[in-house]
Amino acid sequence: MAPEYAIDGKFSVKSDVFSLGVVLLEIVSGKKNRGFNNHDNCHTLLGHAWLLWKEDKFLELMDESLNETFVESELKRCVQVGLLCVQKFAEDRPVVSSVLFMLGTDGAVLPEPKEPAFFYERSLNPITSVSSPSMKSDNNTMTITDLEAR
């Protein structure tokens, strides 16, 4: 979900582009953004893809099932376009027609992506992580998490 919608309830043509970018990164990686875990860091899939991109290690994002068939330039383009779509600010994201052009045109010059939305480290502490209404106790203390919709 685009950050401007999740936080402020504002929806625009760039909100769909954000979702398209998430799906593109999920396809390349073979992993879902929701519930993504990486042993090297505590970032979301978007944050993990961003870190790999900045270190020029985008090939490490690729799902193993693509090992025999991928073309490096196409994979790089998919990751780059995915990251362009999930940039923090809506005005920095391309429109859908530009995304289609970038994905379908070999040799298209693409801008460098900026930091994605929701780029933060998550806590993997089971006491503080929120997954569903639950009750947990540890050392005679108890926490109760009750989720409510907006």
Side-chain angles (χ1 to χ4, degrees):
M1 184 180 298
E4 63 273 10
Y5 183 70
I7 296 167
D8 298 323
K10 295 179 181 176
F11 191 80
S12 73
V13 294
K14 301 289 185 93
S15 301
D16 283 344
V17 170
F18 185 88
S19 299
L20 179 60
V22 172
V23 170
L24 194 53
L25 293 171
E26 288 178 335
I27 290 169
V28 166
S29 68
K31 296 178 175 45
K32 292 182 180 183
N33 185 45
R34 185 172 177 89
F36 174 80
N37 283 319
N38 181 283
H39 58 81
D40 294 333
N41 60 58
C42 299
H43 292 285
T44 63
L45 175 61
L46 307 183
H48 181 64
W50 173 246
L51 290 176
L52 291 174
W53 178 262
K54 284 183 13 178
E55 297 171 1
D56 199 30
K57 295 180 179 180
F58 61 89
L59 288 175
E60 293 180 24
L61 185 65
M62 181 183 69
D63 183 56
E64 292 177 1
S65 67
L66 301 174
N67 279 342
E68 301 297 321
T69 60
F70 83 98
V71 176
E72 185 173 338
S73 63
E74 292 176 359
L75 179 76
K76 181 178 182 180
R77 185 175 346 133
C78 288
V79 172
Q80 188 170 1
V81 171
L83 287 170
L84 286 169
C85 291
V86 298
Q87 293 176 109
K88 185 184 297 185
F89 300 109
E91 58 270 12
D92 292 334
R93 296 180 215 138
V95 294
V96 173
S97 59
S98 295
V99 171
L100 296 176
F101 176 79
M102 289 186 278
L103 288 173
T105 307
D106 287 335
V109 178
L110 307 180
E112 275 299 307
K114 297 176 184 173
E115 184 177 293
F118 307 118
F119 178 65
Y120 58 88
E121 285 195 89
R122 298 174 296 186
S123 170
L124 293 181
N125 181 346
I127 298 297
T128 60
S129 67
V130 177
S131 57
S132 62
S134 63
M135 209 183 302
K136 299 177 182 176
S137 72
D138 183 33
N139 296 333
N140 297 324
T141 61
M142 183 181 306
T143 61
I144 300 174
T145 305
D146 188 17
L147 300 178
E148 292 183 28
R150 289 194 267 166

